[in-house]
Amino acid sequence: QVQLVESGGGLVQAGGSLRLSCVASGGNISTYAMNWFRQAPGKEREFVAAISRSGANTLYGNTVYAESVKGRFTISRDNAKNTVDLQMNSLKPEDTAVYYCFLDVSGRRYWGQGTQVTVSS
């Protein structure tokens, strides 16, 4: 069974940056799309960003972002390290949430434990 572990969360001031990492173990994730979700206090979990499997570029590009983070967040992957990262710039207090790494393998859902991101005003 694949295990996902997020890291890199912390406390930053508005306008600052953080880089989150998701390390996968127990399986190679290079052939699967990877996702970042987040959940703020009192809110439902929401989609943040996704990246296609390695070698699956299309006319639409290989990454997608929630409208709220476009231009500020960048998702990337390193197949050699079996990791997926989320670079977050120009952070806003509204970005405060627990961020989760996620993948779906034929209906089997894998979630990381989450990493807390807190942005102060």
Side-chain angles (χ1 to χ4, degrees):
Q1 183 172 337
V2 175
Q3 295 181 353
L4 305 174
V5 179
E6 305 95 333
S7 64
L11 173 64
V12 298
Q13 294 183 331
S17 299
L18 283 175
R19 188 176 184 88
L20 307 183
S21 294
C22 173
V23 179
S25 62
N28 190 300
I29 63 172
S30 65
T31 60
Y32 300 99
M34 297 295 297
N35 308 266
W36 284 97
F37 282 73
R38 68 185 182 186
Q39 187 167 21
K43 302 292 182 63
E44 294 184 352
R45 193 167 299 184
E46 66 175 348
F47 170 80
V48 175
I51 186 168
S52 64
R53 66 178 177 84
S54 181
N57 290 347
T58 71
L59 293 175
Y60 307 103
N62 65 345
T63 60
V64 294
Y65 299 92
E67 195 67 30
S68 60
V69 307
K70 283 183 178 178
R72 300 188 298 118
F73 291 10
T74 302
I75 187 171
S76 62
R77 69 194 308 158
D78 187 330
N79 292 331
K81 297 180 179 179
N82 216 31
T83 62
V84 177
D85 293 349
L86 184 69
Q87 178 66 45
M88 307 186 296
N89 299 324
S90 301
L91 284 163
K92 306 174 181 179
E94 307 91 90
D95 296 318
T96 295
V98 176
Y99 284 71
Y100 298 90
C101 183
F102 168 81
L103 75 85
D104 186 306
V105 182
S106 299
R108 182 171 295 177
R109 305 170 185 86
Y110 297 94
W111 292 92
Q113 85 289 347
T115 185
Q116 177 70 50
V117 172
T118 302
V119 184
S120 61
S121 60

